[in-house]
Amino acid sequence: MITKIAFVRKKEIPPSAPPITEVGLIGWLRQNLFSSWLNSTLTVLSVYFIVIMLWDFIPWAYGGHWNTKSLRECLDLDPDVACFSVLTARWKQLLFGLYPAEEYWRPTLTFIFLLLAIVPILFPKFFRFFWFSIIYPGLAVWLLWGGSFWSISIVYIGLTLGALFFLTLIRRYLKNYMIAAILAFLFTAVFFLFISNPLVGLLNVILPISLPFVESLKMGGFTLSLIVGVTGIVASFPIGILLALGRQSNLPVIKMICVGFIEFIRGVPLITLLFVASVLLNYFLPPGTNFDIVLRVVIMVTLFSAAYMAEVIRGGLAGLPLGQHEASASLGLTYWQSQRLIIMPQALKISIPGIVNTFIGLFKDTTLVSIISLRDPVGLASTIRADQKWNGIYWELYVAIGLMFFIFCWGMSQYSQYLERKLKTDK
Amino acid sequence: MEKTKINITDEVAIHISDMNKWFGNFHVLRDINLEVRRGERIVVCGPSGSGKSTLIRCINRLEEHQKGSIIVDGTELTTDLKNIDKIRSEVGMVFQHFNLFPHLTTLENCTLAPMWVRETPEKEATEIAMEMLEKVKIPEQAHKYPGQLSGGQQQRVAIARSLCMKPRIMLFDEVTSALDPEMIKEVLDTMIQLAEEGMTMICVTHEMGFARQVADRVIFMDDGQIVEQNEPEEFFKNPKSDRTKLFLSQILGH
Ligand SMILES: Nc1ncnc2c1ncn2[C@@H]1O[C@H](COP(=O)(O)OP(=O)(O)OP(=O)(O)O)[C@@H](O)[C@H]1O
Ligand SMILES: [Mg+2]
């Protein structure tokens, strides 16, 4: 039989609502959890596992003791529930390490200021408060370590004067950026070598503002994790960008230095670098130099994650079509303008997941400092367990520490997803 | 349509003499001699791989030549980065694949270079950008991102973006060959309009209708050499070289 090919529509079909099984809760369940036999089986199995896990965990955690004096006492009361008393007894230490108790307000304030200082960076809407993010590092150092207010402020004063000197040179007298930069550098160096100390002394006499000094070995707990983690994150990002650009550079020397650095750092475990920081560095430095241990650790962690950051960003750079470089060049933009306005914004956007991954990794890696006997939360956990009152406790401590880390890392991850959604410009 | 030739002046816009270029051992451009006068509209055609793109990319130094000289608006192209950036800011280029900046809106695409290279204040740059977007007939798309536009619209934005720098010379590299047929016309119309306003243009294209309508001169390239050049009328009616005849018969159909 021959089918007829010609066809003309006889009646128009008006649009109608989809069947009830395709919309609403039922529709969602059907589509997402029970779309096929395999999917349904997985759904049932997952629910089963979640239930048996919570079945034990909830009574354990919910019935937990908070106010006993030792693990022994907990076990005597009820051995099947959690003994959170260790947290009640030691939470201050987990948060502040050996920081003097009467000064706890300082790390607390530093943390609150940290939250305020990152807002202008995370949300462009508040960019007008960016000045606070700029002064924050100095403020944090002063609050945490204490000492004279002026010896921190002088750094800002010196740098500001140097920058002003540079700008004046450029605006009024010189066209050459290179020479202006060198002169400004010399100016700043002279300031710090000869002027800053007497000036600080003078200011201390006129208006003495200072906090009791707290040495680095007293820093610990989450305060230490945050000091190392946040500084590492903030510093490794720009270094990573420069390394990535350097690796793509046409200048062989710069390229070689960057490749060598990246490959070396990536090839060495972080623990090794931390050991170098804690022990070996003292051999190389002239005797008597007091190179702060926390600073040494921060430098190592920063270099380590900068190398990873560089590779992540290089991935983003490689993902950009050559046409973007050509288009910006053809408009007359200089190399740095084109990197800053065209290339980096796109490369960084592509690399967001990788960048945040590196940040999260860095933050969790701060726990490795316990190996060189700094007292981060994990290091403290061992100390606490060595106390005979709490000897034998595992879960309660590590669950609490894990939860704290999770909150920070999950926050970073959520922000990165928000950023990706916000920066989506196609469709 | 009657062609206007009154625009062409005696002033030399581009002077290329004995220019040679190699990619490694491969001799892409051989002894190129070309003089373009201000207001002149040139169409470059030739088979694939003949070096057309490379030639016009040498004019704004997206490719470096190894021998001979290229002088654009009186400035010779050397390794001096300042000269290169200056020439690039005065020579606009439109690419086959648009190369718009996807993270910026149409308007920002257009204002970016004037603001950073020419240091035009934002308000003025925006005015110029809107004027150019009107010229290419898409002012209503100013606040969209390139990813939200059709191919033809994107290419017109790319033209507007170049025009915002008020270039004295425009280079077009097969700007219609990535487009669907119905979009080719809107882009060609924009280019015709530019040509009629007296812009100095070098267009690599296979749109022979366009060549007939606006070109003052058609250049045929093969194997990295300029094989033949002539006024369009003559070029199409009486091609001299066999190579040109073959090419024209292939491209124009039988
Ligand atoms: N970066 C490069 N490295 C090596 N060879 C290249 C490079 N760019 C182009 N070529 C070669 O140079 C020759 C000329 O290329 P060009 O792009 O100028 O040709 P074209 O005439 O524009 O061709 P089409 O019509 O396909 O665009 C081609 O053989 C090409 O393979
Ligand atoms: Mg080409």
Side-chain angles (χ1 to χ4, degrees):
Chain A
M1 193 189 125
I2 302 162
T3 40
K4 245 169 64 187
I5 294 171
F7 166 83
V8 177
R9 177 179 71 177
K10 301 234 170 49
K11 157 174 145 257
E12 195 167 302
I13 306 161
S16 60
I20 192 75
T21 49
E22 296 301 316
V23 293
L25 181 63
I26 299 174
W28 186 87
L29 285 175
R30 268 175 67 108
Q31 266 177 30
N32 294 293
L33 299 180
F34 299 99
S35 62
S36 66
W37 272 111
L38 179 62
N39 198 344
S40 308
T41 318
L42 287 177
T43 303
V44 171
L45 275 179
S46 320
V47 169
Y48 173 72
F49 279 119
I50 293 172
V51 166
I52 57 169
M53 273 170 62
L54 292 183
W55 199 258
D56 286 336
F57 181 79
I58 289 181
W60 177 81
Y62 185 74
H65 301 297
W66 289 89
N67 288 314
T68 54
K69 292 273 170 304
S70 69
L71 180 60
R72 192 69 263 143
E73 230 175 288
C74 273
L75 295 178
D76 288 345
L77 278 173
D78 181 354
D80 289 333
V81 299
C83 184
F84 292 121
S85 316
V86 65
L87 302 177
T88 317
R90 300 296 196 103
W91 66 272
K92 289 177 186 155
Q93 226 183 343
L94 281 176
L95 291 186
F96 304 114
L98 301 182
Y99 213 86
E102 66 280 7
E103 308 284 343
Y104 279 169
W105 64 272
R106 281 159 53 181
T108 313
L109 197 60
T110 314
F111 180 68
I112 294 172
F113 283 160
L114 171 69
L115 297 181
L116 294 179
I118 57 176
V119 166
I121 300 171
L122 299 188
F123 306 100
K125 198 162 53 168
F126 298 102
F127 194 73
R128 62 183 183 283
F129 298 114
F130 188 66
W131 56 268
F132 185 69
S133 315
I134 303 261
I135 59 169
Y136 177 75
L139 188 61
V141 168
W142 181 59
L143 279 174
L144 287 171
W145 276 270
S148 158
F149 174 73
W150 299 112
S151 46
I152 302 286
S153 315
I154 203 75
V155 177
Y156 279 84
I157 296 175
L159 293 178
T160 313
L161 287 179
L164 285 178
F165 185 75
F166 176 76
L167 287 179
T168 326
L169 278 183
I170 286 291
R171 294 254 168 80
R172 294 272 169 78
Y173 306 105
L174 272 169
K175 267 271 149 278
N176 191 325
Y177 281 74
M178 201 65 176
I179 297 176
I182 293 170
L183 286 177
F185 180 79
L186 288 179
F187 172 85
T188 318
V190 166
F191 179 86
F192 281 118
L193 284 178
F194 302 111
I195 305 178
S196 67
N197 278 341
L199 191 59
V200 169
L202 185 68
L203 286 167
N204 277 337
V205 173
I206 301 175
L207 191 63
I209 310 179
S210 77
L211 286 170
F213 180 69
V214 179
E215 61 170 341
S216 283
L217 284 173
K218 293 261 162 67
M219 312 275 162
F222 271 98
T223 310
L224 182 65
S225 304
L226 281 171
I227 294 174
V228 178
V230 173
T231 322
I233 284 174
V234 172
S236 67
F237 188 50
I239 299 178
I241 291 180
L242 291 180
L243 282 172
L245 287 179
R247 192 168 185 164
Q248 300 222 316
S249 165
N250 294 327
L251 308 171
V253 178
I254 292 189
K255 186 174 174 149
M256 245 165 51
I257 293 175
C258 292
V259 173
F261 176 85
I262 292 171
E263 295 302 335
F264 172 73
I265 297 279
R266 281 202 311 169
V268 178
L270 178 56
I271 295 196
T272 320
L273 293 178
L274 291 177
F275 269 122
V276 170
S278 84
V279 189
L280 285 179
L281 229 49
N282 278 344
Y283 287 106
F284 297 123
L285 294 171
T289 19
N290 183 16
F291 193 16
D292 192 277
I293 178 72
V294 171
L295 184 60
R296 279 185 268 166
V297 165
V298 165
I299 290 176
M300 286 304 176
V301 169
T302 303
L303 294 183
F304 188 74
S305 79
Y308 279 88
M309 189 65 63
E311 287 300 278
V312 167
I313 294 172
R314 191 167 69 99
L317 286 172
L320 281 195
L322 194 58
Q324 293 292 310
H325 294 266
E326 293 183 343
S328 51
S330 79
L331 288 167
L333 295 170
T334 63
Y335 174 82
W336 288 110
Q337 284 174 336
S338 128
Q339 290 301 339
R340 187 175 136 213
L341 302 165
I342 308 298
I343 306 303
M344 270 307 151
Q346 295 183 62
L348 292 181
K349 183 179 136 188
I350 303 176
S351 332
I352 289 175
I355 292 174
V356 174
N357 211 10
T358 313
F359 284 170
I360 289 178
L362 181 156
F363 190 59
K364 291 188 300 183
D365 280 352
T366 59
T367 51
L368 287 175
V369 300
S370 58
I371 304 269
I372 53 169
S373 43
L374 285 183
R375 293 180 187 80
D376 86 303
V378 173
L380 281 167
S382 318
T383 320
I384 294 172
R385 290 197 301 114
D387 180 344
Q388 54 164 339
K389 276 196 287 187
W390 304 110
N391 196 340
I393 206 153
Y394 287 95
W395 286 96
E396 294 78 353
L397 265 179
Y398 287 117
V399 163
I401 295 171
L403 194 65
M404 290 292 272
F405 274 101
F406 177 78
I407 290 171
F408 284 104
C409 297
W410 190 69
M412 287 192 248
S413 148
Q414 287 300 303
Y415 176 75
S416 87
Q417 284 172 35
Y418 154 83
L419 199 62
E420 276 180 71
R421 276 196 305 276
K422 202 181 76 164
L423 295 180
K424 207 165 169 173
T425 55
D426 45 347
K427 298 295 161 318
Chain B
M1 196 185 296
E2 194 52 39
K3 206 154 44 184
T4 45
K5 283 215 178 140
I6 41 169
N7 288 320
I8 305 180
T9 62
D10 287 338
E11 190 188 338
V12 177
I14 303 171
H15 185 93
I16 301 177
S17 62
D18 293 328
M19 192 262 279
N20 282 269
K21 166 156 188 68
W22 288 263
F23 281 123
N25 286 326
F26 176 51
H27 201 170
V28 234
L29 294 176
R30 312 179 196 171
D31 284 343
I32 302 288
N33 285 290
L34 178 66
E35 191 172 273
V36 181
R37 282 176 297 159
R38 172 106 29 244
E40 205 175 4
R41 291 146 300 189
I42 291 180
V43 161
V44 181
C45 61
S48 180
S50 56
K52 309 176 296 285
S53 301
T54 312
L55 172 62
I56 67 167
R57 288 158 59 86
C58 280
I59 295 173
N60 65 354
R61 231 333 138 128
L62 290 184
E63 303 287 358
E64 195 177 326
H65 63 280
Q66 280 94 28
K67 233 177 96 185
S69 71
I70 304 178
I71 300 171
V72 181
D73 275 332
T75 312
E76 176 163 6
L77 276 169
T78 55
T79 45
D80 184 346
L81 287 178
K82 282 232 172 74
N83 275 352
I84 295 176
D85 284 334
K86 177 169 167 286
I87 287 176
R88 281 175 176 168
S89 69
E90 272 157 29
V91 178
M93 183 163 202
V94 186
F95 302 84
Q96 181 175 1
H97 296 289
F98 331 135
N99 298 350
L100 290 175
F101 306 132
H103 62 302
L104 301 176
T105 63
T106 299
L107 186 64
E108 288 162 347
N109 263 277
C110 294
T111 54
L112 182 104
M115 280 166 61
W116 288 91
V117 179
R118 296 244 190 277
E119 293 176 9
T120 313
E122 181 171 0
K123 188 160 164 286
E124 199 186 325
T126 308
E127 277 163 20
I128 298 173
M130 288 313 293
E131 186 189 319
M132 294 306 164
L133 286 173
E134 249 151 58
K135 183 179 222 159
V136 300
K137 306 203 171 58
I138 34 174
E140 71 282 358
Q141 312 287 1
H143 297 287
K144 285 199 184 158
Y145 286 96
Q148 300 165 319
L149 305 181
S150 77
Q153 290 172 327
Q154 290 192 43
Q155 194 59 294
R156 283 183 285 154
V157 173
I159 296 176
R161 177 177 70 178
S162 291
L163 291 179
C164 285
M165 287 294 284
K166 302 269 162 91
R168 310 187 69 192
I169 299 166
M170 287 284 289
L171 308 173
F172 294 86
D173 190 2
E174 304 207 38
V175 295
T176 54
S177 30
L179 298 176
D180 292 338
E182 69 265 34
M183 296 171 186
I184 291 180
K185 187 173 175 299
E186 59 189 50
V187 172
L188 285 182
D189 283 347
T190 311
M191 290 168 67
I192 291 170
Q193 186 190 344
L194 263 183
E196 281 166 358
E197 288 168 9
M199 175 67 78
T200 312
M201 300 166 57
I202 302 184
C203 314
V204 174
T205 180
H206 291 134
E207 297 292 331
M208 290 306 146
F210 172 79
R212 278 214 177 84
Q213 192 179 337
V214 304
D216 299 304
R217 186 165 23 141
V218 179
I219 291 178
F220 173 69
M221 285 186 71
D222 191 25
D223 277 339
Q225 299 152 59
I226 295 181
V227 175
E228 187 167 346
Q229 48 177 316
N230 212 331
E231 296 191 345
E233 198 82 351
E234 274 297 297
F235 180 83
F236 291 112
K237 221 188 287 167
N238 286 319
K240 304 283 184 307
S241 126
D242 289 342
R243 193 63 196 83
T244 318
K245 284 178 196 157
L246 179 65
F247 175 74
L248 284 177
S249 74
Q250 279 164 348
I251 197 168
L252 295 175
H254 326 278

